[in-house]
Amino acid sequence: MSANNAFHIAVLAGDGIGPEVMAPALEVLRKIETRSGLRFRFTEAAAGANNYLATGKSMPDSTIKLCEEADAILLGACGLPSVRYPDNTEIAPQIELRFIFDLYAGVRPARLIPGVPSPIVGADKRGIDLVVIRESTEGLFASMGKGIVTHEDARETLVITRKTSERLFEFSFRLAERRKARGKPGSLACVDKANVFKAFAFFRRIFDEAAQRHPDVNTDHLYVDACSAMLVKRPWDFDVMVMENMFGDIVSDITASLIGGLGMAPSADIGDKYAVFQPCHGTAPDIMGQGKANPTGMILSAAMMLDWLADKHGLEGVAEAGDQIERAVDQVYAGGLKPMEFGGSNGTADITKAVLGAL
């Protein structure tokens, strides 16, 4: 924090509907300022496909420097289907930031909000409240930009290291312990494919070593295919899951679909010093500029940012501000708010106004 006790937040709105969902999240944080002693200083910076079109880079050096100096980073959605690097991969600052700032823990909560439809029968009564922790710098994504393609074949290399796995598991056990202290199960499952690949057996072995240091956390092992099948049958049986990068990429989309879709899903990429907070959805250029975008995932990502800042700086009042945002979101959806992706008529402005009113 700066001397005036204002949190300095780097704001990277991005492409497509990114700026449209970022604006409501900033309004919510400004509303929080009026209700508490918290202060924020927002600095906007360029990132994404449009910046690549204009400059040939996904992010200018000034954006990276800003992110390095800020207390936290808020990211909208980046990338456009029509804009690609010469190797035909997407413009993805969100992935690049993970490598630049060593953001090894991808945190993907999935909580079914009252009044939000789930495709799982019984979820409205049993509830869904789980967290996917996705290792975000290694696994199959370690090969990003490094794959070898010939006329005959293509090869990508999966990487799992002890150093990153140990940090990831310590983070995961600590999160499970924090959830247990808040009245949740606080259990942790390692999701892998250790029955087939040596790399995942190595991953599991390091998990078991970490488990011995955290005897108060109930642990389990699940193969990723069995885990996926169980999630779409009994998601209420899950609490915290930790897994390799690509598995986490896929499983977190499954869990988001259980709670109303990507528009409802917040996320964070967290390292030892830095953290980025963004919704799970993409840039949705097909609805850009039409007022249809659902800002809930972005608003809840801002709430996650407050919880992280509270934990990092030991400021319980900041965590309470994040809880206030979550309660406001719960209130408006329980009251009948229905975004357009659910077949309703509530667009960006309606959702923003409702959450601000609940605050």
Side-chain angles (χ1 to χ4, degrees):
M1 282 186 291
S2 60
N4 62 359
N5 288 329
F7 286 111
H8 183 199
I9 311 300
V11 178
L12 284 56
D15 306 303
I17 63 170
E20 297 174 41
V21 298
M22 180 65 77
L26 297 184
E27 283 190 66
V28 166
L29 290 172
R30 291 188 183 102
K31 183 75 170 181
I32 287 292
E33 282 187 313
T34 68
R35 294 173 48 86
S36 67
L38 294 178
R39 294 293 177 267
F40 302 102
R41 179 163 60 93
F42 302 114
T43 304
E44 298 185 10
N50 285 315
N51 193 73
Y52 177 77
L53 286 175
T55 68
K57 296 178 71 174
S58 66
M59 292 180 287
D61 293 341
S62 58
T63 293
I64 298 171
K65 187 173 187 297
L66 167 67
C67 293
E68 186 176 6
E69 295 172 349
D71 291 302
I73 304 157
L74 278 180
L75 180 66
C78 290
L80 293 171
S82 59
V83 183
R84 301 273 174 159
Y85 286 119
D87 64 359
N88 203 39
T89 57
E90 293 183 19
I91 312 301
Q94 63 273 27
I95 298 177
E96 294 166 29
L97 287 168
R98 295 170 196 164
F99 291 103
I100 292 168
F101 294 113
D102 195 20
L103 310 177
Y104 55 85
V107 183
R108 309 290 189 264
R111 183 175 66 88
L112 185 61
I113 292 170
V116 174
S118 171
I120 307 301
V121 175
D124 55 337
K125 296 180 177 63
R126 301 293 297 271
I128 300 172
D129 188 350
L130 57 86
V131 181
V132 172
I133 302 178
R134 165 193 178 185
E135 195 290 311
S136 291
T137 61
E138 296 183 345
L140 197 55
F141 277 73
S143 191
M144 190 179 76
K146 302 173 186 175
I148 298 172
V149 179
T150 70
H151 180 70
E152 300 299 330
D153 62 20
R155 297 173 185 266
E156 305 277 5
T157 302
L158 181 146
V159 176
I160 292 175
T161 69
R162 172 170 288 277
K163 176 184 176 182
T164 295
S165 297
E166 286 178 343
R167 291 189 299 168
L168 176 73
F169 294 141
E170 285 302 318
F171 178 94
S172 302
F173 275 101
R174 184 165 177 265
L175 178 63
E177 288 165 348
R178 288 183 70 201
R179 284 173 63 86
K180 188 173 184 179
R182 295 176 178 181
K184 296 174 182 179
S187 60
L188 178 63
C190 179
V191 179
D192 54 44
K193 197 64 178 169
N195 59 329
V196 176
F197 295 102
K198 292 181 179 179
F200 287 113
F202 175 72
F203 188 75
R204 178 179 287 200
R205 187 162 67 249
I206 299 170
F207 174 84
D208 289 343
E209 292 170 6
Q212 293 177 11
R213 297 190 292 272
H214 299 270
D216 293 336
V217 176
N218 291 326
T219 60
D220 198 2
H221 302 99
L222 294 169
Y223 297 134
V224 66
D225 43 354
C227 174
S228 300
M230 292 165 64
L231 276 169
V232 297
K233 291 182 177 180
R234 298 179 61 84
W236 42 82
D237 287 345
F238 290 84
D239 190 38
V240 185
M241 296 172 280
V242 60
M243 61 200 73
E244 175 271 339
N245 207 333
M246 179 62 81
F247 288 168
D249 190 19
I250 297 167
V251 171
S252 62
D253 273 19
I254 294 175
T255 57
S257 72
L258 306 180
I259 60 163
L262 293 173
M264 301 297 298
S267 78
D269 289 306
I270 299 173
D272 291 335
K273 184 178 179 182
Y274 303 97
V276 174
F277 301 86
Q278 65 177 114
C280 286
H281 63 70
T283 54
D286 56 320
I287 62 169
M288 179 177 63
Q290 300 173 37
K292 296 179 179 179
N294 183 353
T296 305
M298 186 76 243
I299 291 170
L300 291 174
S301 296
M304 286 184 70
M305 179 187 74
L306 296 181
D307 187 66
W308 178 76
L309 287 169
D311 185 51
K312 182 179 181 183
H313 295 281
L315 300 172
E316 195 57 40
V318 183
E320 171 56 26
D323 291 342
Q324 288 174 11
I325 294 173
E326 288 194 359
R327 289 195 296 267
V329 170
D330 287 5
Q331 179 181 328
V332 298
Y333 276 95
L337 189 74
K338 195 172 185 181
M340 293 183 180
E341 66 261 37
F342 301 161
S345 60
N346 298 126
T348 313
D350 291 339
I351 297 168
T352 305
K353 182 179 179 181
V355 174
L356 291 172
L359 280 170

